[in-house]
Amino acid sequence: MNHRFLKIAIFSLIATCCTVAAKAQNHISDTELNLIDTELRNVPAYDRAKTARIDSLRLLCANERTHDAQVRLCMDIAREYSTFISDSALLYYSRAEAMALSCRDSLSLTAARLGRIKVLGVLGLFKEGVDELTEVESYGVPPSLRTEYLDTGRQLYSYMAAFAESGTFFDQYSLMLNFYRNEQIRSLPKNSPLYNEFLAEHYYAQGLTDRAKNLFDEIIKTVPETDNVYARAAANMAIIKHAEGIEDEAAYYLALSAISDIKSSVKENTALQKLALYLYLQGDIDHAYQYISASLADAVFCNARLRTNEVSRLMPLIDGAYKVQLDAKQHNLMIAVIIVSLLSVGMIVAIVMILKQMRRLHQVRLHLRNANSIKDEYIGHFLELCSIYMDRLDNFCKVVVRKINAGQAEELVKLTKSSKFAEDQHKLFYENFDSAFLHIYPTFIDEFNALLQPAERIEVKEPGKLTTELRIFAFLRMGVDDSAKVARFLHYSVNTIYAYRNKVKNKAIDRANFEADVMKIGTIS
C-alpha cells in the first residue's frame, strides 16, 4: 500500500508518538485484534495462494510462443510481484521491457518502463526512478498510458516525499506529487474507485475534511476488501481520525487496512506498523511486538526499503518495552515457580506428617486394643487371685475349726507361726503381680535398663519374673510413689525400699530425671 497524503501522511508516525498518549482514551476492540491475529496465522496460506497464482502465470509464459503474449504475461507476473517481492517484480518488468524492445513494441516498452519505475520507488532507488521517468517523458507517453504514467509519477514522488520527511526537498517532492495527482484526477473516469481516492486526497489537502471522509467511506463500503484501493482508503481514514483526535476510530480503520493487506499478501504496507505503535502507547506490548515484527518481516520479504526504514525507527522502542515486559513476566514466573515449589514442599511435608499421624493413630488404636485386652486379662488375674485367697481363707478357717474341735490348739498355733505359710502367700502374690504388670507393660524391663548405665543393667533370671528392684519401680510406674505403701505390698521395711530406690537411682544415666523417665515407660511418643 502506498503513501497517499502530503505532510500529514508523511509525519503520521512521528505525530502519533507525540499525541496518541495524551488524546487516546479508547482502545481498539478485541474483535478487530482477534481478527488480525487470526489473519496473521493465515499468512502462510495467503502467501501460498499468491505464489500459486504467480506460478501458473509463469507456466503459461514459459509455454507461450508469441512475443506479445509473453510480454503481456511478464507484465502480469510483475504486477503480482509488485507489492509482494519487489526484486522479482523488477526482474519481470525488465524481461517485459527487453522482449518489447526486441519486437519493437513501443507501447509495451513504455508500460514495462513505467512498471519498473514504480518498483524502483519501492526499492528506494529514487534517482534511478526519476532518471527513467524523465527518459519516458522525453520519448513521449502514448495517450492510452497517460493515466498509468501519471500514477507512476505520483507514486514515485510520494515515496520520495515520505523519505525526505521535511525541508526543501520535501517541499519540492510534494509539489511534484500534487501535480501528478491533480493531473491524474483529470484523466480518470469520474466516480471510479481510483478517481474517488485521489479526489478525496485532494479534498483533504485543501482542508475539505468532510468531503474527503465521505469519499473514503464510500470506497470502503463499495470496494472489495482485498482490493488495494480499499486498504489505502481505510489507511487514509485512519490518518483523518488521528488528526481529529479520535484515536479509537483511527485504530479501527488501521485494523481494516491491515486485514486487507494481509488477505491480499501485500507486503509493502504501513497500516500494521502504525497499529503497532498505537497499541504500544496503549500499553498492549504483546500485540504491538507481534505486529511490528510482522511488519518488519513483510518489509524485508518485499525488500521495501522505505517501509524497512520506517519500521526500524519503531522496532527498538517496542522491542525494548517487550523485553522489559518479558523480563517482568519471567521474574513473576520465577516467583510463581518458587511459591509453587514451596507449596509443594509444604504439601509433601504435610502429607508426611499426616501419614506419620495416621501411623501413630494406628499405633494408639493398637495400643488401646492391647490395653483393653491387658485390662481384661488383668481383671481376670485379679479375680483369679481373689478366688485363690478366698479358697485358701476358707480352707484355713476349716482347718482352724477342725483343730479347735479336736483340741489341737498347740498345732494350730504352730501352723500359724510357720514361715512357710507366709512365704507361699507372698510367692503367689508376686507371681500374679509380675504376670499382670508385664502384660500391661511388656517392654518395661528393656526400657528400664535403657535408663541405666550399660554395666549396671539388671538381668532377669526367669522370663516373666521381676527382681525386687524392678518390682519396686513397677509400683512407681503404676503411680504408687509412697515407699510406705510399697513396703506394705512387698512386706519390706520402709528403709529397705528407700535403700533399693537410691541404689538403683545411682546407677542411672540421668540420675536427676530417673524416676520421671520411669513414669514415661510404655507411653506413646
Side-chain angles (χ1 to χ4, degrees):
M1 191 196 66
N2 304 324
H3 258 60
R4 301 272 46 106
F5 293 125
L6 301 177
K7 291 185 179 180
I8 293 176
I10 298 165
F11 288 117
S12 178
L13 290 175
I14 300 173
T16 302
C17 294
C18 301
T19 60
V20 168
K23 295 182 179 180
Q25 300 297 326
N26 298 310
H27 293 249
I28 187 172
S29 71
D30 291 338
T31 302
E32 282 77 36
L33 291 180
N34 291 337
L35 185 56
I36 293 174
D37 294 343
T38 300
E39 296 302 340
L40 284 175
R41 288 192 291 271
N42 292 333
V43 163
Y46 292 135
D47 289 351
R48 284 195 298 272
K50 180 81 166 180
T51 303
R53 288 196 301 273
I54 293 173
D55 288 342
S56 64
L57 290 173
R58 291 170 63 184
L59 183 62
L60 288 174
C61 184
N63 294 328
E64 188 57 60
R65 293 292 176 263
T66 65
H67 282 285
D68 291 344
Q70 285 183 335
V71 170
R72 176 179 52 80
L73 287 170
C74 281
M75 293 285 288
D76 290 341
I77 296 170
R79 278 189 284 269
E80 287 285 345
Y81 270 128
S82 60
T83 57
F84 188 56
I85 304 176
S86 57
D87 292 328
S88 297
L90 186 65
L91 174 65
Y92 276 92
Y93 275 129
S94 298
R95 286 185 182 179
E97 183 181 357
M99 285 187 287
L101 184 62
S102 66
C103 62
R104 298 180 180 181
D105 183 352
S106 60
L107 188 65
S108 297
L109 177 63
T110 302
R113 285 181 174 177
L114 292 175
R116 268 178 50 86
I117 294 168
K118 286 184 177 181
V119 178
L120 290 174
V122 174
L123 291 169
L125 302 174
F126 302 132
K127 182 182 181 304
E128 291 81 354
V130 171
D131 290 343
E132 291 199 20
L133 185 63
T134 302
E135 186 177 349
V136 169
E137 291 170 347
S138 66
Y139 285 116
V141 178
S144 61
L145 291 177
R146 178 166 175 76
T147 299
E148 182 66 19
Y149 155 72
L150 293 172
D151 189 59
T152 301
R154 178 199 56 80
Q155 182 171 314
L156 177 61
Y157 281 101
S158 173
Y159 284 123
M160 294 169 66
F163 191 80
E165 292 187 352
S166 62
T168 303
F169 288 112
F170 171 80
D171 294 335
Q172 293 176 3
Y173 300 153
S174 297
L175 287 173
M176 294 302 297
L177 169 61
N178 285 330
F179 167 77
Y180 282 108
R181 184 181 59 207
N182 293 336
E183 288 297 317
Q184 194 172 10
I185 292 173
R186 296 188 185 95
S187 68
L188 286 169
K190 288 187 177 181
N191 297 323
S192 66
L194 279 176
Y195 175 85
N196 288 338
E197 178 188 357
F198 298 141
L199 184 59
E201 290 182 4
H202 173 73
Y203 282 152
Y204 188 60
Q206 297 300 316
L208 303 174
T209 304
D210 289 339
R211 290 188 180 183
K213 286 195 294 187
N214 290 336
L215 286 174
F216 285 135
D217 187 57
E218 182 181 347
I219 293 171
I220 293 170
K221 289 179 180 178
T222 58
V223 173
E225 184 184 24
T226 54
D227 194 312
N228 199 230
V229 175
Y230 173 97
R232 292 197 300 265
N236 288 333
M237 279 290 281
I239 292 173
I240 294 174
K241 294 297 181 181
H242 166 67
E244 293 176 340
I246 311 174
E247 299 300 340
D248 57 326
E249 291 189 27
Y252 169 77
Y253 284 110
L254 285 175
L256 295 184
S257 180
I259 292 169
S260 174
D261 287 335
I262 294 170
K263 288 185 173 182
S264 305
S265 290
V266 174
K267 305 301 182 180
E268 197 275 312
N269 57 69
T270 62
L272 201 58
Q273 60 175 285
K274 292 182 181 180
L275 186 58
L277 177 59
Y278 169 83
L279 294 171
Y280 162 75
L281 294 172
Q282 292 293 339
D284 190 348
I285 305 301
D286 288 333
H287 274 113
Y289 182 79
Q290 179 187 359
Y291 295 169
I292 200 67
S293 298
S295 185
L296 179 60
D298 285 347
V300 172
F301 182 84
C302 183
N303 195 19
R305 295 179 185 176
L306 177 60
R307 306 308 175 208
T308 303
N309 181 62
E310 292 172 343
V311 174
S312 297
R313 300 178 196 173
L314 300 178
M315 193 67 187
L317 187 69
I318 298 176
D319 183 62
Y322 182 76
K323 287 180 179 177
V324 170
Q325 178 177 278
L326 190 61
D327 291 341
K329 286 182 178 180
Q330 289 178 340
H331 177 71
N332 293 336
L333 180 61
M334 183 62 66
I335 292 175
V337 169
I338 292 172
I339 292 174
V340 170
S341 299
L342 291 176
L343 290 174
S344 300
V345 171
M347 186 180 296
I348 293 171
V349 172
I351 291 173
V352 171
M353 292 179 66
I354 290 172
L355 291 175
K356 288 179 67 175
Q357 291 295 329
M358 291 177 65
R359 285 196 294 269
R360 184 179 178 187
L361 182 61
H362 179 67
Q363 292 174 352
V364 169
R365 288 174 178 170
L366 289 176
H367 180 76
L368 290 175
R369 282 200 294 268
N370 292 335
N372 288 332
S373 176
I374 291 170
K375 179 188 70 175
D376 295 340
E377 190 171 350
Y378 180 75
I379 292 172
H381 278 287
F382 175 76
L383 293 175
E384 183 181 0
L385 183 62
C386 290
S387 176
I388 291 171
Y389 273 110
M390 289 175 65
D391 289 342
R392 290 201 171 196
L393 181 61
D394 186 52
N395 291 333
F396 182 73
C397 289
K398 289 178 181 180
V399 170
V400 170
V401 171
R402 189 171 62 251
K403 292 291 185 182
I404 292 174
N405 290 336
Q408 299 174 343
E410 291 182 1
E411 290 185 16
L412 183 60
V413 172
K414 187 183 297 184
L415 177 63
T416 56
K417 288 183 177 180
S418 173
S419 61
K420 185 176 184 305
F421 181 77
E423 288 175 0
D424 289 344
Q425 306 311 311
H426 295 161
K427 182 178 180 183
L428 179 62
F429 173 77
Y430 295 153
E431 288 176 354
N432 280 276
F433 175 80
D434 293 351
S435 176
F437 181 80
L438 290 175
H439 271 83
I440 297 173
Y441 301 104
T443 61
F444 177 79
I445 296 174
D446 292 335
E447 291 189 55
F448 186 85
N449 276 327
L451 300 175
L452 303 178
Q453 298 176 15
E456 302 296 340
R457 291 174 180 173
I458 300 171
E459 293 185 8
V460 179
K461 295 181 180 179
E462 296 183 51
K465 301 289 184 180
L466 298 175
T467 64
T468 301
E469 296 96 329
L470 291 172
R471 202 170 285 127
I472 290 170
F473 284 96
F475 275 101
L476 176 64
R477 177 63 187 86
M478 293 175 65
V480 184
D481 189 34
D482 189 346
S483 295
K485 289 183 179 181
V486 176
R488 285 197 299 273
F489 276 121
L490 299 180
H491 296 279
Y492 289 109
S493 67
V494 175
N495 290 335
T496 301
I497 298 300
Y498 275 125
Y500 271 118
R501 289 178 69 169
N502 287 330
K503 179 182 177 182
V504 175
K505 188 183 294 186
N506 289 332
K507 298 177 182 179
I509 297 172
D510 183 2
R511 188 178 184 279
N513 299 309
F514 176 67
E515 292 188 355
D517 292 337
V518 171
M519 292 300 296
K520 297 177 183 177
I521 291 176
T523 59
I524 299 175
S525 58

